[in-house]
Amino acid sequence: MREAYIVESVRTPGCKNKKGAFRETRPEDLLSFIMKSCAEKAGINPIEIDDCMIGCAMPEGEQGINVARIAARMAGFPNEVSGATVNRFCSSGIEAIALASLRVQAGWSEVAMGGGVESMTYVPMGGNTPRPHPEFAKVEPEAYISMGVTAENVAGSYGITRAEMDEFACNSHAKAAAAQAAGVFTEIVPTPAYYYEPQADGTFKKTSKIISADDGVRGGTTPEGIARLSSPFKFGGGVTAANSSQTTDGAAATIVASKEACDRLGLKPIAKIVAYAVAGCKSEEMGVGPKYAIPKALKIAGLTIDQIDCFELNEAFASQAIHCLKELGIWGTDAMKKVNPNGGAIALGHPLGCTGAKLTATLLAHLKRTNGKYGIVSMCIGGGMGACAIFEMV
């Protein structure tokens, strides 16, 4: 297979659902804007993009009807540019980038786009009308289990304490606040948010405002300050809103090109995916997925964990992130400095199908700034899975 190079990777800010800056901005607007911005920043004519693979965990409602194709047209891409919506729940965004890369590696495309979108304001967790299969749900109810309950299961089964979870959450906010103050999120493209103001005649006036930063970061968060919160998932439990990922709205996009396309179009390679792996686990412990997916991807790549310069490990819940880090031998070592160095989803948000693409943009910007070589994007996945992509800077 031939080489496939990432030539650009960008994201919108991540904003809190229902309360954040994108609460009235439709997902197609977020996605089409970042797709267009990605092409512009890469310096590529959209006609060169063969296909757009876009992750979305809940592809219905405003982000249904093949949002990848709709957004490509809204972005002004020519009719010749096709699109497909990809769903592997929380890893949909990285799955989409991997598929775009595979298209180029296989010679099926010269240039492809991978990305992700999720508006958890418009389409809630689980979708608008979830309908579990009645007979199967009786046999295996864990297939439909609440994500929060799985986080409590992990905490209980593996001895993750409330104190550990709350401290982990506070560190996420502290790192994210420091990163924002230092201006390190260079992968963010300032993005228009739209609002609808009621008028005296009963109509609405559409207005907009440019959003430049993730709006869920709470600098100064302390373990004492969040200790009063109770678990909504289990009586006396330790998983709370404060030590779980924020439900978020956002979009991200990445362009992948062959060497021949890079040479022909004058594109500068940034990085490449050297391995991508997914692994299954128990549905009721879905958060442990990364502890299986990361070693699997490392084996494919022929790398060891100590060769990785940065881990973007999605903080779906503090309990599962802590457990995975302990199992991987990272927790309590100097290697922890490499994990989510600029904060994670507890502070920056988890826009489900966008997250893998969002973390890719953040990872590559960090590796470029720090002269790192290898980086990992990994997350647990609803239903009992884990995913891991390994990137190499070029």
Side-chain angles (χ1 to χ4, degrees):
M1 297 178 75
R2 60 183 186 169
E3 297 285 11
Y5 295 104
I6 293 170
V7 298
E8 190 57 76
S9 188
V10 293
R11 69 178 180 95
T12 71
C15 296
K16 295 178 291 184
N17 80 313
K18 300 186 188 304
K19 300 177 182 178
F22 294 144
R23 62 189 178 277
E24 295 182 44
T25 306
R26 289 178 62 115
E28 314 99 310
D29 288 318
L30 292 174
L31 179 56
S32 60
F33 172 81
I34 205 64
M35 290 171 71
K36 181 178 180 181
S37 297
C38 191
E40 289 175 347
K41 286 179 71 67
I44 188 171
N45 187 327
I47 191 65
E48 300 287 349
I49 301 172
D50 180 62
D51 202 6
C52 300
M53 312 299 290
I54 301 297
C56 183
M58 303 296 159
E60 59 178 89
E62 291 81 358
Q63 55 197 31
I65 323 176
N66 193 2
V67 69
R69 172 63 175 176
I70 296 293
R73 297 296 299 126
M74 288 177 63
F77 290 6
N79 276 318
E80 291 84 350
V81 181
S82 53
T85 303
V86 177
N87 182 10
R88 197 194 285 270
F89 284 175
C90 307
S91 70
S92 299
I94 192 63
E95 185 79 22
I97 293 173
L99 289 173
S101 181
L102 281 173
R103 290 190 64 86
V104 174
Q105 288 177 296
W108 295 349
S109 298
E110 291 301 314
V111 182
M113 178 176 283
V117 66
E118 204 80 36
S119 173
M120 300 184 76
T121 294
Y122 278 88
V123 183
M125 177 82 77
N128 291 309
T129 55
R131 294 179 178 175
H133 190 282
E135 287 84 11
F136 181 65
K138 291 179 181 178
V139 177
E140 195 169 329
E142 294 84 1
Y144 305 103
I145 195 169
S146 158
M147 297 300 98
V149 173
T150 72
E152 288 284 9
N153 288 344
V154 171
S157 296
Y158 300 104
I160 310 300
T161 68
R162 171 68 183 270
E164 285 179 308
M165 290 187 275
D166 284 353
E167 183 177 1
F168 184 87
C170 291
N171 285 337
S172 184
H173 282 285
K175 289 187 288 186
Q180 284 187 331
V184 303
F185 292 119
T186 54
E187 76 279 8
I188 291 179
V189 180
T191 302
Y194 299 105
Y195 306 94
Y196 298 87
E197 299 177 355
Q199 305 296 297
D201 62 358
T203 62
F204 290 83
K205 179 183 178 181
K206 186 176 181 179
T207 61
S208 65
K209 178 182 178 182
I210 297 298
I211 307 302
S212 301
D214 305 299
D215 69 8
V217 180
R218 299 190 301 272
T221 301
T222 65
E224 295 76 20
I226 61 176
R228 58 183 175 79
L229 296 179
S230 59
S231 173
F233 309 112
K234 178 182 178 182
F235 181 76
V239 177
T240 71
N243 58 39
S244 305
S245 59
Q246 295 180 32
T247 48
T248 308
D249 306 332
T254 292
I255 292 177
V256 185
S258 67
K259 182 181 184 301
E260 293 76 11
C262 289
D263 293 341
R264 177 171 59 86
L265 300 171
L267 304 173
K268 183 179 179 181
I270 298 171
K272 60 183 178 180
I273 296 181
V274 294
Y276 177 62
V278 291
C281 60
K282 294 179 180 179
S283 297
E284 62 269 31
E285 291 184 354
M286 70 94 199
V288 307
K291 76 176 183 181
Y292 300 115
I294 290 174
K296 191 174 180 180
L298 286 169
K299 183 177 180 180
I300 293 170
L303 297 171
T304 59
I305 203 162
D306 60 293
Q307 290 178 274
I308 304 302
D309 298 300
C310 180
F311 299 83
E312 284 294 338
L313 176 64
N314 187 47
E315 300 167 354
F317 300 93
S319 63
Q320 57 82 209
I322 293 169
H323 171 66
C324 290
L325 291 168
K326 287 182 176 181
E327 289 291 297
L328 293 167
I330 296 173
W331 186 260
T333 71
D334 287 342
M336 277 298 295
K337 297 175 183 177
K338 301 178 182 180
V339 179
N340 301 346
N342 303 307
I346 290 173
L348 299 169
H350 176 22
L352 296 182
C354 168
T355 291
K358 169 183 179 288
L359 293 182
T360 297
T362 298
L363 173 73
L364 298 184
H366 177 80
L367 290 175
K368 181 178 180 180
R369 185 174 59 255
T370 59
N371 294 316
K373 184 175 183 181
Y374 293 111
I376 274 178
V377 167
S378 184
M379 67 282 292
C380 58
I381 306 166
M385 292 179 282
C388 174
I390 302 178
F391 296 85
E392 179 183 356
M393 298 297 285
V394 297

